[in-house]
Amino acid sequence: MRIRRRRRPPEPALIRLQLADALMERHGSVGPGSAVEDAARAAALLEDVVGDPATPFQRLPEVAATVLARYDVVPARGRRHRLVEATVSALQGGLLSSAALRGADGSDLAELDGFDAALRRRLTDLAVVQVLDSGADADLERAVRFGRDDAAPTDSRQDGPAAGPAPDRSGDPTGRQARERLAMLFLLRSDQRRSAEDATAAVDLLTADLPTGLLTALDAEAPGGPKAPETPETTEAPEAPLTAEDAHTALTLAQALTQRHRLRHGDGGDDLARARTIVTATLRLAELSGLLTDGLRESAALVLATVPDEAGTRTATTLLDGLGTPTARLARAMIDAHRDRTTPDEATRWDVRSALADRRSLPGLPPLLDAMLEAELGRLAVRDEDWPAALAIFEAAREKFLGLYEAQALPGSREFLLGLRSGFPVLHAYALARTGRAEEAVEILEEGRAVLLGEALHLGRADLTGIPAEAADRYGRAATRVRALLSRPADAPDETSAADLRTARVELAAAVELVRSHPDGAGFLRPAPGEAQRAARAAGGPLVHLAATPDGGYALITTGPTATGGTQPGVRFVELPQLTTEALQRHAVAFLTAHHDRRNDTPAWRRALRTTLDWLGSALAAPLLGALGPVDRCLLVPLGPLGLLPLHAARLPGGGQALDHTVFQYAPGAAAFNAAHRLATAAGPGGRLLAVDDPEPATVPAELVGAETAEVAAHFPANVLRLPGPAATREAVLAALADHDVVHLCCHGFVTFDAPRHSGVRLGDGPLTVASLLDTPLRARLVVLSACESAVFGLDAPDEVIGLPAGFLQAGAAGVIATLWAVDARATALLVARFYRAWRAEGLPPANALRLAQRWLRDSTNGELTAAFPALHRAPAHLADAADLARWGEGRPYRAPEYWSAFVHVGA
């Protein structure tokens, strides 16, 4: 061998490596105590080997392979992390050593290339192991970087898949494995970032590794959609030979196509149809080639199960028939968990449960998938009303999700994880309430509600009273650093940004622990017991969490102290049998779809709204009001899609609407409401008005341009800043927000359901979005968003209620008035004018003033509207006849709910 080594391999390093192997062999054959001790000693020896600069880099791939083989049995996660980090550093040092030898006398470039390839492959393997163990976005970014280096041609390291037609690379097995690893990393990142671009990168990599002839054969096969492999259309062998590697790549390509289809919400191509064709054709060609193994059947079934529909589910079920492996049972469980089965077979249900329960027999199961499967198992236990099992399972899943959440650095990764968790706290709380533990159920709902908003509020408004200056200053600096990094505008930060944020979060955690080490800070930033009771007391009425489950919904009613100073029973559990998740989804989808198409079919939109209000009245409002009894006000925390519906306007079976019986206000959660209430108390009624006045006046009736803000400004005679039309720029508005305690935005709003941080209102030179409020200091008593759809939030993580109201609460507003759908300009101007009169002139609290204005607009005649606000409402010019004017004056133009019920009050 002609490579010039640094030195002869030292005997101690080889002895340590052999001793580590021996210890791990003994690890499997002795009692648990000794086994843990052996694993710990082996890990220490391996750390010594990889950390010894005398270990030659030519041996490092072998050492890394040993580390990977021993990784799963190293007892402590922190030790595993250190072991991998030490190995990564050693491999990177080996690449530097190899580079130093290039060009030296007697060096063998081909052999060095082989060592480099082995080192890069092991780097990727180690990084992937870290991702599967931590689920952290920073680890994923590093794995993608290593994977790119590993997959790139030897003479050209590049940042991503090459553009243009890809060459046929199927004859390069080592490179092909590297590219498939990279494709899987792109798929994992596309899930985490909800990025169709990453899914496309995976599709391109996988397509390039399939021979052109085979691709043609796959696309030509099975044009009618998926068919079971047991009934092939032909018995002739295919012209294009199929290898086991080709079959695996083809199924992975199908997975990438289905993922891209899902991320594009079904738009932009025939990905799903092509994926089904590829799966079916691969199975048929594999059967004709004698390659149809059980493993291939399992893989194909898992791909088909990712986008469940009747045809794909039927084919996947057929493929799994007769297979009893853990993977096959898991695939059947996934299919069953997403299938609507109103009368499931009892034996099948227990088979599903056993499949999920033995998921740990699957090697290398990622922690995120493990947590999701744990939660699915809990869902099945709820379906069977096995409450002890459900509670044990949900508690385990909760701990796993919390651990995964803490590992994420980037906001997008945290939102993604919270979106996956969405719905499970509702079932966990349901199981607690059904077993008489309603107070704990409220705590679980609060823990899973508006998590990102709660963190942002802590970062900006933490109470450090009584904390020593050193600890308080350290926390303040760390919180400011995290806030600054979170406010960066980039949607997909690079690895350096992710590392900066992760480092900042570590420092923040250390600062929090320092604060907690002092007697007055022991409970700092921890969920405070009794948060819901305090919210009920501050609101002056019961706090109600509302949720739907597959078997019926429920309300958890929390009451505060009584008038005599005592306390009523803390939390009452009220079942709402008609409020099922299926019924809620059906009505919400019909409601949102009809609103989206309202310009083409206005009558259908009105019918959908009335149908939704009738259902809300019978399923939710009537039983809730019956349980509440006579109360002056009620604070609602609606979970999931319930937050998109006007619960206050529900039409009761006996007549009238819910808001005729009490004042309703909304909150993201008890903690957020309490923070808003403190701000409202400190701010007082507010006396300085910022009014943004129709930046797009062409879309407003000419006589209304400026009229609404003129009515509003009349209540602030000495302290008004009006920004009309083009003057209402993003820079001007953002600069003025901090100096005014009442903000009125008369604008046009818009919502992006799958990217809620980009929802906002249109200003003179561009949008004011949720994202732009992330680092905007605000101390407003009230923000009024007189704009379309300004209360709508994103659907990917509905319990995070990411939208403009939460954005303004996060920025420092105490209360927000916003709308759930597109509103009529004249009706809005009238409602807003009556609201400000009730609030500013008559002294009503904002929520009471909004209720009064809504009922007034609903019930007032044309004559009454004109008398109240002649600048906003007058008789049409063509009505000259006195009789016609009289008839017009008696009409109630805004009685229909689409004119007044869109408005909601969020916060205090």
Side-chain angles (χ1 to χ4, degrees), residues 695-714:
E696 296 179 344
T699 60
V700 180
E703 69 274 16
L704 290 180
V705 174
E708 178 183 319
T709 50
E711 290 286 347
V712 174

Side-chain angles (χ1 to χ4, degrees), residues 676 679-680 743 780-784 805 808-809 812-817 846 905-908:
L679 284 175
V743 178
R781 170 63 188 91
L782 187 68
V783 175
V784 178
F808 275 105
L809 290 178
V816 181
I817 289 177
H905 178 272
V906 182

Side-chain angles (χ1 to χ4, degrees), residues 27-319:
H27 170 89
S29 58
V30 296
S34 298
V36 171
E37 183 181 343
D38 285 344
R41 289 181 61 200
L45 287 165
L46 288 170
E47 281 186 79
D48 287 343
V49 174
V50 296
D52 188 343
T55 303
F57 78 87
Q58 294 89 345
R59 300 299 299 257
L60 288 175
E62 173 191 343
V63 174
T66 303
V67 169
L68 287 165
R70 308 304 180 228
Y71 183 84
D72 288 336
V73 289
V74 176
R77 180 173 174 177
R79 181 178 287 278
R80 294 202 306 269
H81 179 78
R82 289 197 305 273
L83 178 56
V84 169
E85 288 301 316
T87 311
V88 167
S89 297
L91 294 175
Q92 290 176 314
L95 287 170
L96 293 175
S97 298
S98 173
L101 286 176
R102 290 180 181 274
D105 293 341
S107 63
D108 187 329
L109 294 181
E111 195 162 6
L112 287 171
D113 287 343
F115 280 123
D116 286 357
L119 291 168
R120 289 193 176 91
R121 182 170 65 253
R122 291 306 181 195
L123 275 171
T124 306
D125 291 340
L126 287 161
V128 169
V129 162
Q130 283 284 70
V131 171
L132 296 179
D133 191 44
S134 72
D137 44 25
D139 288 337
L140 178 57
E141 290 302 314
R142 185 172 72 170
V144 169
R145 178 164 59 88
F146 289 163
R148 281 172 166 161
D149 277 349
D150 186 27
T154 303
D155 57 350
S156 174
R157 301 292 167 190
Q158 56 188 18
D159 289 336
D168 183 343
R169 301 181 299 199
S170 55
D172 173 20
T174 303
R176 178 173 182 167
Q177 292 169 6
R179 289 186 291 273
E180 288 201 16
R181 276 195 299 271
L182 179 58
M184 293 306 297
L185 287 167
F186 277 131
L187 286 178
L188 185 58
R189 193 170 71 173
S190 77
D191 243 346
Q192 192 177 75
R193 289 184 176 179
R194 288 165 285 183
S195 164
E197 289 75 16
D198 278 331
T200 297
V203 168
D204 292 344
L205 280 166
L206 295 162
T207 301
D209 271 325
L210 285 174
T212 304
L214 180 59
L215 276 174
T216 302
L218 289 174
D219 285 334
E221 286 277 328
K227 300 182 182 65
E230 285 79 0
T231 57
E233 293 181 347
T234 177
T235 57
E236 296 180 5
E239 291 184 9
L242 182 76
T243 65
E245 292 77 13
D246 289 339
H248 179 270
T249 301
L251 291 180
T252 308
L253 173 59
Q255 178 187 348
L257 289 166
T258 58
Q259 186 151 314
R260 187 168 68 178
H261 167 86
R262 191 166 59 250
L263 291 167
R264 289 176 171 175
H265 305 288
D267 297 331
D270 59 350
D271 283 347
L272 187 56
R274 187 169 179 235
R276 288 169 175 158
T277 297
I278 288 174
V279 172
T280 305
T282 300
L283 292 171
R284 184 170 295 115
L285 294 175
E287 186 175 38
L288 294 173
S289 304
L291 298 174
L292 189 56
T293 63
D294 288 350
L296 196 64
R297 291 157 64 97
E298 290 172 354
S299 299
L302 285 168
V303 173
L304 291 172
T306 57
V307 183
D309 61 9
E310 185 177 352
T313 297
R314 186 170 58 248
T315 305
T317 304
T318 303
L319 288 167

Side-chain angles (χ1 to χ4, degrees), residues 240-534:
L242 182 76
T243 65
E245 292 77 13
D246 289 339
H248 179 270
T249 301
L251 291 180
T252 308
L253 173 59
Q255 178 187 348
L257 289 166
T258 58
Q259 186 151 314
R260 187 168 68 178
H261 167 86
R262 191 166 59 250
L263 291 167
R264 289 176 171 175
H265 305 288
D267 297 331
D270 59 350
D271 283 347
L272 187 56
R274 187 169 179 235
R276 288 169 175 158
T277 297
I278 288 174
V279 172
T280 305
T282 300
L283 292 171
R284 184 170 295 115
L285 294 175
E287 186 175 38
L288 294 173
S289 304
L291 298 174
L292 189 56
T293 63
D294 288 350
L296 196 64
R297 291 157 64 97
E298 290 172 354
S299 299
L302 285 168
V303 173
L304 291 172
T306 57
V307 183
D309 61 9
E310 185 177 352
T313 297
R314 186 170 58 248
T315 305
T317 304
T318 303
L319 288 167
L320 296 169
D321 188 35
L323 299 181
T325 64
T327 304
R329 290 197 299 272
L330 179 60
R332 275 196 296 269
M334 291 173 61
I335 293 168
D336 182 82
H338 295 91
R339 184 191 296 170
D340 181 19
R341 304 179 67 196
T342 55
T343 55
D345 177 76
E346 188 70 26
T348 303
R349 289 162 66 177
W350 281 103
D351 181 60
V352 169
R353 179 170 296 181
S354 64
L356 291 174
D358 71 6
R359 68 199 176 284
R360 294 191 182 282
S361 60
L362 298 171
L365 194 64
L368 180 57
L369 179 57
D370 191 23
M372 291 175 65
L373 292 175
E374 195 86 72
E376 284 290 354
L377 179 57
R379 188 187 68 80
L380 294 170
V382 167
R383 187 177 70 179
D384 289 346
E385 298 189 0
D386 188 346
W387 306 119
L391 289 174
I393 294 163
F394 278 128
E395 188 56 38
R398 171 176 169 265
E399 293 300 323
K400 290 171 184 172
F401 272 115
L402 289 174
L404 287 165
Y405 180 80
E406 289 302 320
Q408 310 308 315
L410 302 178
S413 300
R414 294 193 159 198
E415 287 175 27
F416 166 72
L417 193 66
L418 292 169
L420 291 178
R421 185 193 180 200
S422 179
F424 292 119
V426 165
L427 293 175
H428 189 178
Y430 183 53
L432 285 166
R434 287 291 299 267
T435 53
R437 299 160 64 183
E439 289 84 358
E440 294 174 65
V442 170
E443 292 179 5
I444 287 295
L445 290 180
E446 282 292 311
E447 181 184 86
R449 180 74 176 165
V451 176
L452 296 170
L453 173 59
E455 288 183 342
L457 293 175
H458 287 318
L459 287 174
R461 310 178 203 167
D463 183 6
L464 293 163
T465 305
I467 303 301
E470 178 187 359
D473 289 346
R474 182 174 176 183
Y475 174 82
R477 289 193 302 271
T480 300
R481 174 65 174 157
V482 171
R483 282 176 61 89
L485 291 170
L486 287 174
S487 66
R488 287 181 177 178
D491 293 329
D494 58 22
E495 188 180 344
T496 301
S497 299
D500 289 345
L501 187 53
R502 194 171 192 182
T503 301
R505 286 193 187 277
V506 169
E507 170 56 25
L508 181 65
V512 168
E513 289 306 312
L514 179 61
V515 172
R516 289 174 178 170
S517 68
H518 297 278
D520 290 338
F524 184 63
L525 300 190
R526 289 193 171 105
E531 194 84 71
Q533 282 82 1
R534 282 192 293 277

